[in-house]
Amino acid sequence: DGVKDFVLGRYGIHFHHAMEGSRGVVIEGNVVRDTQSHAYVPHMSNGITLKDNIAYNVVETPFWYDEEEASHDSQWIHNIAAKVSFVRSSDNGVKPVGDPNLAVAGFQLGLGDGNIARDNVVVGIAPGDPHSEGGFEWEANNEGVWVFENNIAHNNGTALRVWQNTT
């Protein structure tokens, strides 16, 4: 029909439900670029360190995991997200055609405890969803506390977007 579909699960580096099996994994010094999806996804996988990595010219939030499922003790240290966009007029069956599929940001601070985001940089988030476009995003109903230190965001719709966090 000429409308692009966003394919879930096809990400640059993806840990899927590894839980405690991923504890101690370090992803360091990598570049994920020119992808049509997320770049680094520690999805329901605990104790992963992402350090000194770059996501460039990617689609959707490059440092991300599903909003409904927690990852604990993640460390996102000294990473860069640059030139991030979304597939225009795509259809993922959730949002209306033409809207960004997911919140477009550089880093999504997801569910979980003991997580750290330190010394990261976000630049060039493409305008799209007016409720997003953040360098760093802490989504609704996100329980858990992140250590958030020395992060930089510029040339984005917002630097840090926080939406209806629970207690």
Side-chain angles (χ1 to χ4, degrees), residues 11 38 40-43 61-67 76 102-103 108:
Y11 313 134
H38 305 288
Y40 300 93
V41 181
H43 173 206
T61 304
F63 292 84
W64 176 88
Y65 55 88
D66 288 342
E67 294 89 351
W76 296 359
L102 304 166
Q108 178 180 301

Side-chain angles (χ1 to χ4, degrees), residues 6 8 38 60-61 64 67 92 95 100-104 129 132:
F6 183 78
L8 295 175
H38 305 288
E60 304 294 349
T61 304
W64 176 88
E67 294 89 351
N92 72 347
K95 289 188 174 184
N101 285 324
L102 304 166
V104 180
D129 184 345
S132 186

Side-chain angles (χ1 to χ4, degrees), residues 7-82:
V7 180
L8 295 175
R10 306 297 288 282
Y11 313 134
I13 296 177
H14 183 193
F15 288 84
H16 186 81
H17 291 218
M19 298 181 191
E20 290 302 309
S22 57
R23 191 165 294 281
V25 167
V26 177
I27 305 299
E28 183 174 8
N30 297 280
V31 176
V32 174
R33 60 171 287 169
D34 303 322
T35 66
Q36 293 299 305
S37 195
H38 305 288
Y40 300 93
V41 181
H43 173 206
M44 220 169 138
S45 300
N46 302 328
I48 294 177
T49 298
L50 297 172
K51 182 178 180 185
D52 296 326
N53 297 294
I54 297 171
Y56 177 78
N57 194 32
V58 299
V59 173
E60 304 294 349
T61 304
F63 292 84
W64 176 88
Y65 55 88
D66 288 342
E67 294 89 351
E68 296 85 23
E69 299 179 322
S71 291
H72 304 288
D73 303 317
S74 300
Q75 295 188 48
W76 296 359
I77 310 295
H78 202 247
N79 300 290
I80 297 172

Side-chain angles (χ1 to χ4, degrees), residues 104-107 122 125 131-137 153 156-161:
V104 180
F107 292 78
V122 182
I125 304 296
H131 305 291
S132 186
E133 303 171 19
F136 300 90
E137 181 167 38
N156 309 302
T158 62
L160 172 64
R161 179 184 171 268

